Structure formats: C-alpha cells, structure tokens
Amino acid sequence: MVEMEQFENPSVYDFPSLSDRFLFTSRWKSLLTDGCFRRLTSPVIGNDLSGAQFSAQAETAFREARLAGIRHPVIAGAIPFDPGQPSELFIPESCRFIDRDQLVRAAKTFPAFSGGEVTGSRLIPDQPAFMTMVSRAIEAMKRGEADKVVLSRLQEICSRDAIDMTGLMTQIVRQNPDNYHFHLPLSCGATLLGASPELLLRKEGENFYSCPLAGSAGRSTDPAEDSLRGRELMNSEKDRREHQLVTDDMRRTLQPVSQTLSVPDVPHLLTTSTLWHLATDIRGTLHHPHTSALSLAALLHPTPALSGYPHRQALDLIKTLEPFNRQLFGGMVGWCDDQGNGEWVVTIRCATVKEKTVTLFAGAGIIPASDPYSEWRETGIKLNTMLRAFGLERTER
C-alpha cells in the first residue's frame, strides 16, 4: 500500500480508466483512489443525533489503516440526503492528488462519447404530478407548515447497451469544466457520478469555506439576453428570499463552532454552462481546529438549499410529497483525511448508472411565491446538465 502523493508530472497523465476508482475534482485539490481497505457504511448521524458513534468508528478505521501501512489515510465517498441512512464511505488502499487542469485537458482530447441507443425513458413524477406536488407544498407553506421546501424529480433512462463509464465521465468533465466532478462506485454495483456546482464545506487547518447556492435562472446563448437573465435573478425578490433562508440558517449553525465567521449580506452571481445561481461565499475559522471536514459538513447537511426551512418541517413535507426515496441524491460527496482536512460538495447535477439504466436527479426550492410550471422548467434545465452528456438535452415545455 502506498501513501497519498501529489501528482507532479501532468505531461504524462491521460484521463484515467475509472472502473472501481473514486474520482473527485476541485480547484483546491483533486483526488483519485485505488482499492478499498475498509468500508464505512454506518450512518453519520445515529439515533442520538450526535454522530459520536460514527466519529469513533472513523477514528478506529484511520488507526487500523495506519497500522496496515497506509501512512496518510483518507475517508472518501458519499453520504445520503438523509444522514440517518447507511453511508457509502470507504478508506482506499491508496490515493493521490492529481492535476485538475490537466484532467480537464485530457477529457477534451478523449474520444467522443456516444450514449448509445436509448430504449426507454420515464419521468418520476411526470409533469402534472410534479406540478400538483409543488402546488400542495405551496398550500402547506401558506398554512404556516414551512417557509421553504426543496422538491425534486427523477428521470430514468434505459440504454440498449451497458454504459461506458469512463467515456461518460470524460463527457461530463468536458461539458462542465468549472464544476466539481465525482465518480463513485457503490456497494450495490451502481456508480454515482456528476458535476456539482455547489461546495458544501472545505476545511484546511482551522479555516473553512462554504458556498451555498439557492435561486437560479436558465442561461441563454444570446449574450445580451444571458446578461439580462443574470440581472433579473439578482433582483428577484422571490429568489433573494429563498437564498436568505439558506444563508441565515447556515450562519446559525456555524456560529457556535466558529472563532470568526463571515457571511455576506448580499449574494453574488455564479454561472454554470446551463444556469445562473445566487451564491454566497461563507468563510470562517474554528474554535477547535481538530474538528474534521467530515463532521463539520455533517453538521451543515442537509442545508435548506437541499431540504428547506425549518428543516424538520421541510423533511416532513418531502417525505409526504415526493414519490421516491432520494437515497444519495441531494446528499454530499467528497473526502476527509486523518488530519481533518477535506472537501465535500452537494450531490446534485448527478446520476446513478447501473449497467444499462441511468437515473437522473434534480430539485428546486419552493416558497409560497413559487409557480409550479416555473419549477418544472427549472428542474428540467438542471436535468440537462446530465442529459447533455448523453446527447439528450431538451427544452421543457
């Protein structure tokens, strides 16, 4: 077994064959793993809601990994939307930091990916059911049952042939070069992959950073129209209200553990290839620098950007209204080393792939001022991040 090492020679680096490897990219650090020393499937939040049991298991696993010769072990993988459900975390046998820019360049030169022949597709729920779901949420919020709830939908695609995972991942990286990318083989035989725009938590030493997204608008290929859409989003009372609920809650959550904390009052605009987002750069230092990136991310997860506000009431609405279990969708994916440093992003703009079946996920924040049709269109635009990789991008009607 080898320790984690910095990749120093990008000139000989090609896009890796992924297979059973975990890949995570960011502009801070990008990670590629090999093998699996130990899986950690326990929920990060136990029945006592403290997470103490999982923390103890993680420390034991780190200690055993070091005794086995892994000098700088990491925990990598994903945590479900509901942190009380089993995790998909593991300690790899070896891992290394890689050059992200070189990886993006390699993706651009990789042979074009063909999604193959699609034999079937279905929406869960379909448009009328989704719009009814949104309407019911709006009615509940007007009765005072919540201030915001995030509702989501799935799209399931069947292919004639098994999906080429490395080819699909290169396509995702090529089309979304500025996002966080992830590829995670799961214990059930499926693979979770995607290109998230949203950083949940980065931690290095005593410093941490987060950039929640809430409030979005579709991009336009016309530069003037695209700029107008960004300005309209920035001036949207509805979207600014939705965003404020998220940042206020994150401030309340982080304040008790922070030595210093900066949460700007005014968001800024962030763009992806398909969407404008309202974003806020949150920075701080910790009272206790030994607090790990994983435990700090678990403290935040799920933020109101993924569940709603107040959290418990929003979860109740989600369980009542959504016709499926989100599982890993809307969760978090990333890594944390044995020194507590690491990075976790929100599991959105993502899919699971198992042999010939692909399941896509997208959600939207609903407040009393929301319009069901607009939310249908917004989730459709978000699904397009993954649909484009299969050559199936479409305009929602």
Side-chain angles (χ1 to χ4, degrees):
M1 298 178 185
V2 298
E3 63 179 296
M4 185 188 301
E5 58 188 22
Q6 180 71 38
F7 188 80
E8 298 289 355
N9 188 4
S11 64
V12 298
Y13 185 72
D14 295 321
F15 202 95
S17 174
L18 293 175
S19 184
D20 60 352
R21 293 164 127 183
F22 173 67
L23 172 70
F24 178 90
T25 83
S26 93
R27 293 195 178 279
W28 180 54
K29 291 182 178 180
S30 298
L31 191 71
L32 182 66
T33 76
D34 281 290
C36 175
F37 170 76
R38 177 73 48 79
R39 285 196 173 273
L40 290 84
T41 59
S42 298
V44 295
I45 301 296
N47 292 332
D48 61 355
L49 302 180
S50 69
Q53 182 178 6
F54 177 84
S55 295
Q57 291 175 342
E59 284 303 314
T60 298
F62 272 140
R63 183 169 60 253
E64 292 175 350
R66 287 189 291 267
L67 289 172
I70 303 176
R71 292 178 59 188
H72 300 292
V74 304
I75 290 177
I79 290 168
F81 169 72
D82 178 354
Q85 293 181 353
S87 302
E88 281 280 351
L89 299 171
F90 73 106
I91 294 180
E93 292 180 342
S94 64
C95 54
R96 59 180 176 173
F97 292 124
I98 61 175
D99 185 284
R100 183 186 190 276
D101 291 338
Q102 180 63 26
L103 187 80
V104 172
R105 287 193 291 270
K108 293 178 179 178
T109 63
F110 201 84
F113 169 74
S114 172
E117 180 184 345
V118 173
T119 59
S121 177
R122 68 176 180 134
L123 302 172
I124 311 169
D126 61 16
Q127 181 175 351
F130 179 84
M131 291 175 61
T132 298
M133 185 170 73
V134 173
S135 295
R136 290 178 61 191
I138 292 170
E139 292 169 0
M141 286 184 285
K142 288 180 177 178
R143 292 193 300 267
E145 295 181 24
D147 296 319
K148 171 186 173 179
V149 62
V150 178
L151 296 178
S152 59
R153 62 184 176 104
L154 307 178
Q155 182 165 357
E156 191 176 89
I157 300 170
C158 295
S159 173
R160 184 174 63 85
D161 302 307
I163 305 296
D164 170 13
M165 297 304 301
T166 297
L168 175 58
M169 197 66 219
T170 59
Q171 186 90 318
I172 291 170
V173 172
R174 183 162 51 232
Q175 293 178 347
N176 306 276
D178 297 322
N179 290 29
Y180 301 89
H181 311 109
F182 51 91
H183 173 281
L184 173 65
L186 303 176
S187 56
C188 65
T191 300
L192 174 72
L193 74 172
S196 176
E198 184 169 359
L199 174 65
L200 177 63
L201 192 285
R202 176 189 306 142
K203 190 251 180 186
E204 185 173 25
E206 66 178 6
N207 301 304
F208 65 85
Y209 174 65
S210 180
C211 188
L213 309 181
S216 59
R219 302 288 305 274
S220 171
T221 55
D222 176 74
E225 172 64 21
D226 190 48
S227 179
L228 175 62
R229 292 183 184 183
R231 292 195 302 272
E232 288 177 341
L233 176 63
M234 193 67 177
N235 295 323
S236 166
E237 183 178 348
K238 177 260 184 189
D239 291 285
R240 289 286 291 270
R241 168 63 177 160
E242 179 187 341
H243 191 84
Q244 192 72 45
L245 286 171
V246 173
T247 55
D248 285 349
D249 185 73
M250 292 182 71
R251 180 189 289 107
R252 284 190 291 268
T253 301
L254 290 168
Q255 193 72 63
V257 300
S258 300
Q259 182 72 33
T260 64
L261 181 63
S262 171
V263 184
D265 293 329
V266 179
H268 63 87
L269 289 170
L270 180 147
T271 58
T272 68
S273 57
T274 58
L275 286 164
W276 288 95
H277 292 283
L278 293 180
T280 293
D281 295 324
I282 297 175
R283 303 173 187 273
T285 58
L286 293 166
H287 279 303
H288 303 291
H290 63 271
T291 302
S292 74
L294 177 53
S295 60
L296 193 57
L299 183 66
L300 290 171
H301 173 71
T303 73
L306 270 295
S307 61
Y309 184 82
H311 177 65
R312 180 52 53 191
Q313 290 91 321
L315 285 183
D316 289 341
L317 281 173
I318 290 169
K319 291 176 181 178
T320 299
L321 297 174
E322 285 188 355
F324 53 85
N325 185 331
R326 292 186 186 182
Q327 298 180 326
L328 294 175
F329 294 138
M332 64 186 202
V333 58
W335 63 275
C336 177
D337 67 21
D338 63 341
Q339 301 303 303
N341 304 309
E343 192 167 37
W344 297 87
V345 302
V346 178
T347 314
I348 53 176
R349 313 300 188 272
C350 58
T352 56
V353 180
K354 188 168 186 180
E355 298 176 350
K356 303 177 183 181
T357 302
V358 182
T359 305
L360 314 177
F361 167 87
I366 314 299
I367 64 173
S370 294
D371 171 69
Y373 177 65
S374 296
E375 305 302 338
W376 171 261
R377 286 181 57 85
E378 179 178 324
T379 51
I381 293 169
K382 291 174 177 177
L383 286 172
N384 274 340
T385 296
M386 296 301 294
L387 288 171
R388 285 170 61 227
F390 291 90
L392 297 173
E393 183 176 11
R394 63 193 229 177
T395 301
E396 294 293 343
R397 301 188 182 280

